[in-house]
Amino acid sequence: MDQILDPPGSHLTDERRQHAEFALATLVEHGDLDRLVGLARLVGSAQDATSDDTVGRFAAIAGEGLDLLDKVNRSGIARALPAISALVEHGDLDRIVGLARLIGSAQDATGDETVARFAAIAGEGLDLLDKVNRSGLSRALPAISALVEHGDLDRIVGLARLVGSAQDAMSDEMVSRMAAFAGDALCIADRLVRNRVVDRMMALLNDESMMSMLDNIGPAIESAVQKSQTEPAPSGGLSGLWSMMKQPETQKTLQFMLNIGTALRQPSHPRS
């Protein structure tokens, strides 16, 4: 021990020698000396096993690491670390990674034909939007909303389907008949208007006495029908006819019918 601590040619004082002996004893007592020996052996083995190629690789890795560290410092990524920490803490970073994977998968699955279709659909959509804006359809949206809210749009759709079904069911012959019927109806309407028949009918309808008479016709016919059902059947023969003719009601009715016939035989009033 004295030879180790005091090799030839050394100049150690007693105090320094005692201090060294105490430190060495402490290392031996706690087992640190064995650890130092093992570490020295490990370093020596690594040095023996390390070739020039490995040293070059280590140097290249160290250089790339320093270069990356320099780029990180220059890019100011240190200012983004709080935001990245918040993303990691709340799990948003995992969602972003999942979204990136989804977008990447969609890009991988999307071919040139699909991209062309998307572009065509987008172009047609923009063209349609431009036509809608130009046509002023936005002003009709309140009315359309009201139709939808009250169910009128469904009725219009049903009416359109009914008309479409009718058109599909119509043949050329039916269309020709309907056109001829419409033409005849228009001719009749024109004649009624030219002959002032419509004006006369409107004048009669405006006459209170005529309207009262028309109102009484229906109840009179109904009363006659009910009375005919309840009265006994006539006996027939000349005696029965003579008995009916002697009744004042029968004579009054015949008088009323004769007055109508006389009025119908009179010449009509000249047209104005």
Side-chain angles (χ1 to χ4, degrees):
M1 181 66 68
D2 295 337
Q3 293 179 357
I4 294 174
L5 295 176
D6 192 9
S10 62
H11 300 283
L12 293 177
T13 61
D14 295 337
E15 184 179 358
R16 295 181 64 185
R17 186 182 298 112
Q18 292 177 358
H19 183 70
E21 289 176 356
F22 178 76
L24 182 59
T26 303
L27 291 174
V28 173
E29 182 179 358
H30 294 89
D32 296 330
L33 185 61
D34 296 332
R35 297 186 185 95
L36 292 175
V37 173
L39 181 60
R41 289 178 181 175
L42 178 62
V43 173
S45 300
Q47 289 178 350
D48 294 338
T50 303
S51 61
D52 296 337
D53 188 11
T54 306
V55 173
R57 290 180 182 178
F58 287 160
I61 292 172
E64 292 177 358
L66 293 175
D67 187 21
L68 178 60
L69 184 60
D70 181 66
K71 290 181 179 179
V72 168
N73 291 329
R74 290 184 179 182
S75 64
I77 197 173
R79 295 192 298 270
L81 290 178
I84 296 174
S85 300
L87 291 176
V88 174
E89 181 179 358
H90 297 91
D92 297 329
L93 188 60
D94 296 333
R95 299 187 185 94
I96 294 173
V97 172
L99 180 61
R101 290 178 180 174
L102 177 62
I103 295 173
S105 301
Q107 289 178 349
D108 295 337
T110 303
D112 296 336
E113 184 179 358
T114 307
V115 174
R117 289 181 181 177
F118 286 161
I121 293 173
E124 292 176 358
L126 293 175
D127 187 20
L128 177 61
L129 184 60
D130 181 68
K131 289 181 179 179
V132 168
N133 291 329
R134 290 184 179 181
S135 63
L137 184 60
S138 58
R139 295 193 297 271
L141 290 178
I144 296 174
S145 300
L147 291 176
V148 173
E149 182 178 359
H150 297 91
D152 298 328
L153 187 61
D154 296 333
R155 299 187 184 95
I156 293 173
V157 172
L159 181 61
R161 290 178 180 174
L162 178 62
V163 173
S165 301
Q167 290 178 349
D168 295 336
M170 284 184 182
S171 60
D172 296 337
E173 184 179 0
M174 294 177 64
V175 173
S176 300
R177 290 180 181 177
M178 292 182 67
F181 176 75
D184 295 341
L186 290 175
C187 291
I188 293 173
D190 181 68
R191 290 178 182 178
L192 291 175
V193 172
R194 287 185 180 182
N195 294 332
R196 307 293 298 275
V197 176
V198 177
D199 295 338
R200 294 177 183 176
M201 292 179 63
M202 294 300 297
L204 290 175
L205 293 176
N206 291 328
D207 189 0
E208 294 183 358
S209 60
M210 181 61 65
M211 291 301 298
S212 177
M213 185 183 300
L214 292 176
D215 292 338
N216 294 330
I217 289 176
I221 294 175
E222 183 178 1
S223 177
V225 171
Q226 293 179 356
K227 189 174 183 181
S228 298
Q229 293 176 353
T230 57
E231 287 182 349
S235 59
L238 293 175
S239 60
L241 179 62
W242 177 252
S243 299
M244 183 182 296
M245 293 298 296
K246 289 191 301 181
Q247 295 179 3
E249 291 83 1
T250 304
Q251 296 177 7
K252 189 173 182 180
T253 303
L254 290 175
Q255 184 180 7
F256 178 73
M257 297 299 294
L258 289 174
N259 292 330
I260 292 177
T262 302
L264 291 175
R265 286 195 305 271
Q266 291 180 0
S268 58
H269 298 284
R271 297 177 182 177
S272 57

